[in-house]
Amino acid sequence: MRKPIWSGLVLGALLGCAGSSSSTSGDAPRPAPQAESPAASTSKPLRVTASPAPKDDIAITSLEVQGDTLVAEVMHSGGCKQHTYDLLWNGSFQKSAAGSSHVELVLAHDANGDACEALLNRTASFDLSPLKRQWQEHYQFEHGTIELRLAGSQVTARYAF
């Protein structure tokens, strides 16, 4: 008979640590741990750099252009530290055989040394206005379309303005 009571006490203690709202000890329930806030809360500007290079592993699951903002859904490991993302470009436009413009971008992920192995899904947003301004200066047109290609990914997006 003692064994089920002991197991019940251990189980009750474990469940009590999970923040049960029916606590009789008078303790206020603890707030749930805060998840890492996604980088999508504000759009970071596209950065032009001579030699864009990735830093930590990242998988790009989708890209969507919303106005002048590129929204990237990404996956990577982590969970213990804040991660940051940058969209990098070398400043050059390329032409396809059909004559349309495209750019090669790098989505740089900095895990800040996070060695945790949880699989994280995050959203990162980037302001494409610097790309648009440079295209307008280069081609002397106000409106255009640029295909956005990301290094290390087959996912692409079209930026029309």
Side-chain angles (χ1 to χ4, degrees):
M1 186 92 169
R2 287 185 182 186
K3 200 172 206 177
I5 293 173
W6 175 249
S7 297
L9 290 174
V10 171
L11 183 58
L14 289 173
L15 290 174
C17 290
S20 171
S21 61
S22 61
S23 174
T24 58
S25 64
D27 293 339
R30 294 183 199 171
Q34 294 296 314
E36 173 186 326
S37 60
S41 57
T42 59
S43 294
K44 292 176 83 173
L46 167 81
R47 284 193 0 208
V48 180
T49 180
S51 54
K55 185 171 174 145
D56 294 319
D57 289 340
I58 190 167
I60 302 164
T61 57
S62 73
L63 292 175
E64 183 182 353
V65 176
Q66 300 173 355
D68 288 333
T69 302
L70 177 67
V71 179
E73 298 292 331
V74 299
M75 271 190 331
H76 54 77
S77 63
C80 296
K81 294 187 179 180
Q82 183 73 26
H83 293 237
T84 59
Y85 313 95
D86 286 301
L87 188 62
L88 308 174
W89 175 47
N90 67 3
S92 69
F93 294 98
Q94 299 171 359
K95 286 276 193 180
S96 70
S100 62
S101 295
H102 67 270
V103 293
E104 299 288 332
L105 304 172
V106 173
L107 181 55
H109 164 230
D110 186 352
N112 291 307
D114 189 349
C116 291
E117 296 182 3
L119 183 60
L120 305 176
N121 292 293
R122 298 289 185 253
T123 302
S125 299
F126 303 97
D127 180 9
L128 296 172
S129 297
L131 176 64
K132 176 170 71 173
R133 282 191 299 274
Q134 196 155 336
W135 188 94
Q136 290 169 331
E137 290 174 13
H138 185 273
Y139 290 104
Q140 297 298 306
F141 290 107
E142 189 168 332
H143 302 286
T145 302
I146 305 169
E147 182 179 343
L148 308 175
R149 300 179 182 173
L150 273 81
S153 175
Q154 297 296 319
V155 182
T156 62
R158 283 198 157 319
Y159 176 34
F161 48 89

